[in-house]
Amino acid sequence: GEFAAREPSRLPVFQYCGPVVHRGAGAVLLGDAIHSVKPYFGLGVNTVFQDVAALDECLSAHPADRPAALSLFSARRGPEAVALVDLAASFDRPGLAGFFSFVLPLILDGLFHGLLPRLFAPNVLTMLQLPNMSVTQILRRKRRDRAIQAAVLALALCGIAYASLHILAAAATVAVQAASRVSESGGEVESGLQAAGNAAVGIWRFLTRYMQAVLSGNRLQL
């Protein structure tokens, strides 16, 4: 009866504690006590193990000075708790925000890492499985990757825009030449529709020649 009367349980919210996660020489916080995330991708369990390993390293570094050891633990794991919660929250955004903060980065990382694995790191989910990288290190690397990806995509878009303008300008030139030829050959008899049709044929022929030149690696002479 008492169990059935309880409110329905809900997923934990994204919270973190810090930057100090210890008190004096006898108390320290670990796991969900310093970083609460939803149960996605094993982030909570894995980071608890990392907390324990970090605490062991800090105690080993200062075996005779417990306050110094716990202060070192706070310095290491406090910022990590903030980074972990921020990262996990980015996985949980709804709608377009979730697409741009989670799905699109996975797609970009898959493409760029597949093409240039020595320059670009794998996606965040893969990097979280690496034993020797902290969340703060992962986020720092991903910020670097995002900056380079944005620069590459911007250059690609500029190249596409330039090529498109070149095609349109050349197509307009062909259309004008076609219209001139129609006028010189007695175009006063032809209707405007016929002239437009001839111009469209000229544009189509030019685009066909342009694509053939691109595919063959040759430069199209106008």
Side-chain angles (χ1 to χ4, degrees):
E2 181 181 351
F3 179 80
R6 292 180 180 176
E7 292 291 328
S9 61
R10 302 182 183 278
L11 292 174
V13 296
F14 297 107
Q15 294 179 337
Y16 60 84
C17 173
V20 179
V21 294
H22 77 285
R23 185 178 181 85
V28 66
L29 300 177
L30 301 169
D32 286 350
I34 58 174
H35 42 68
S36 173
V37 298
K38 295 184 180 181
Y40 301 152
F41 315 113
L43 291 178
V45 174
N46 290 336
T47 50
V48 169
F49 293 147
Q50 292 173 358
D51 290 341
V52 173
L55 180 59
D56 179 66
E57 292 174 0
C58 294
L59 292 173
S60 298
H62 300 279
D65 191 348
R66 187 66 57 81
L70 298 189
S71 295
L72 178 60
F73 176 81
S74 282
R76 288 186 180 180
R77 300 305 294 175
E80 193 73 1
V82 178
L84 172 66
V85 173
D86 287 344
L87 176 63
S90 72
F91 297 162
D92 196 57
R93 296 188 180 116
L96 283 177
F99 174 79
F100 284 107
S101 66
F102 180 45
V103 178
L104 182 59
L106 292 180
I107 296 172
L108 292 176
D109 287 339
L111 292 174
F112 281 91
H113 179 68
L115 292 173
L116 298 169
R118 295 193 177 188
L119 179 60
F120 296 99
N123 64 64
V124 171
L125 298 182
T126 301
M127 296 185 74
L128 285 171
Q129 309 306 315
L130 300 177
N132 298 322
M133 287 200 74
S134 66
V135 178
T136 51
Q137 290 173 329
I138 292 172
L139 292 181
R140 191 179 304 119
R141 177 60 188 272
K142 285 292 102 182
R143 283 193 291 268
R144 168 189 170 275
D145 283 358
R146 294 288 172 264
I148 300 176
Q149 289 170 1
V152 171
L153 291 174
L155 288 174
L157 289 175
C158 288
I160 292 172
Y162 177 81
S164 299
L165 290 175
H166 182 73
I167 292 173
L168 290 175
T173 301
V174 172
V176 170
Q177 292 173 350
S180 299
R181 285 195 295 270
V182 170
S183 178
E184 291 172 359
S185 61
E188 295 151 349
V189 182
E190 296 186 7
S191 66
L193 284 176
Q194 289 175 321
N198 290 333
V201 170
I203 293 173
W204 173 254
R205 288 176 178 171
F206 170 79
L207 292 177
T208 302
R209 289 171 54 209
Y210 184 86
M211 292 306 299
Q212 289 174 345
V214 170
L215 293 175
S216 63
N218 298 324
R219 183 178 179 85
L220 181 62
Q221 299 296 330
L222 298 179

